[in-house]
Amino acid sequence: LAPRDMAGKQVLVTLGPTREPWDAVRFWSNPSSGTMGACVAVAAYLRGADVTVVAGPTGLTFPCDMAVVSVTTARQMYEACTDLWPSMDMACLTAAVADYRPVPFGESKFKKSTSAGAGITVEFETNPDILKSLGESKRDGQKLIGFAAETDNIREEAARKLAAKNLDLIAANNIGKAGSGFGVATNEMFVLDAKGRKEQWPQLPKTEVAWRLWDHLLL
Ligand code: PMT
């Protein structure tokens, strides 16, 4: 039986990609399947927490008594999370949020003939950093977990993000390695917390990673 050590806790989890539209049919996104976040959400749920998921487009389904807010863009995810955060005890942000969004071409479909074969240039604008914003408004007693998707200098990047975003714990994955990161059932994490504890975990099922993350935060 799962320990109910998160009973009564209000927990926010973000997951999946965001999609940033450019024209009527095209968008900027990434291959996040939402699996890592779903494992984090279900682990908290099994441990007795009241879980609210803010989900980008994934097609995943969740237990019927879990609150799910479906969003598409980073700005929608930001609005949902900043509204929810004051009433939460903990949040774990696993979503692969697009840092930039294309400056929209418009409501119609861009036609190839418009560029007359000369190629196109798309400009990008900066999206809000949801994790940073939650960290800045974190009150006493609230706990915040961030993820970091890295290909290089994983430990340094994890330490930088932990401090810059006022986190209690950061879980960094090497997205350049087979069996880790986007779209697979396993992950390999370097975990660092605000108390200075560091752990390198072997490649594990995402279900196990999720369970260990809550263990680590609650210890
Ligand atoms: O969904 P899966 O297929 O299972 O894949 C899992 C995963 C690879 C998506 C996941 O393990 C992961 O690494 N998630 C974080 C992806 C990411 O955006 O990393 P980042 O280093 O760019 O962002 C750092 C943190 O800031 C993350 O917690 C992210 O959710 C958050 N962020 C980032 C940008 C932004 N504008 N707002 C944010 O809140």
Side-chain angles (χ1 to χ4, degrees):
L1 275 183
R4 295 192 48 92
D5 53 2
M6 294 174 75
K9 298 291 183 200
Q10 301 295 318
V11 173
L12 169 66
V13 178
T14 68
L15 61 83
T18 63
R19 266 184 201 170
E20 312 298 327
W22 179 62
D23 73 351
V25 294
R26 300 173 180 94
F27 57 81
W28 175 257
S29 192
N30 64 69
S32 171
S33 62
T35 307
M36 187 66 249
C39 292
V40 167
V42 169
Y45 170 84
L46 290 172
R47 294 169 82 139
D50 292 325
V51 179
T52 301
V53 164
V54 177
T58 64
L60 293 174
T61 51
F62 296 91
C64 58
D65 53 346
M66 198 183 272
V68 180
V69 181
S70 297
V71 297
T72 303
T73 66
R75 283 178 295 172
Q76 290 166 353
M77 189 173 276
Y78 173 82
E79 291 299 327
C81 290
T82 50
D83 279 358
L84 287 161
W85 181 226
S87 58
M88 294 289 148
D89 298 301
M90 302 174 202
C92 180
L93 272 53
T94 77
V97 183
D99 289 316
Y100 300 95
R101 61 179 182 275
V103 174
F105 170 73
E107 309 259 303
S108 53
K109 183 183 171 197
F110 175 84
K111 304 297 286 180
K112 209 156 70 170
S113 52
T114 311
S115 81
I120 57 168
T121 301
V122 179
E123 283 185 40
F124 286 82
E125 306 175 305
T126 307
N127 272 332
D129 188 325
I130 305 163
L131 184 61
K132 188 161 193 291
S133 171
L134 268 48
E136 282 168 355
S137 59
K138 191 170 67 166
R139 55 175 162 73
D140 281 354
Q142 281 184 313
K143 299 279 183 203
L144 184 58
I145 305 180
F147 268 61
E150 309 294 344
T151 51
D152 302 290
N153 305 321
I154 295 174
R155 293 178 180 219
E156 293 76 6
E157 283 303 307
R160 188 182 62 74
K161 287 179 181 172
L162 178 86
K165 303 192 185 197
N166 193 25
L167 309 179
D168 297 282
L169 180 66
I170 189 150
N173 41 201
N174 184 344
I175 54 167
K177 197 165 176 182
S180 184
F182 290 94
V184 288
T186 51
N187 219 347
E188 196 174 307
M189 314 299 306
F190 171 68
V191 174
L192 175 65
D193 71 16
K195 298 173 188 158
R197 294 183 299 173
K198 298 175 190 172
E199 289 181 12
Q200 175 65 54
W201 297 346
Q203 191 178 105
L204 295 167
K206 285 179 175 172
T207 46
E208 173 75 20
V209 169
W211 204 266
R212 284 185 179 214
L213 280 177
W214 292 125
D215 281 347
H216 200 93
L217 186 76
L218 298 174
L219 271 181

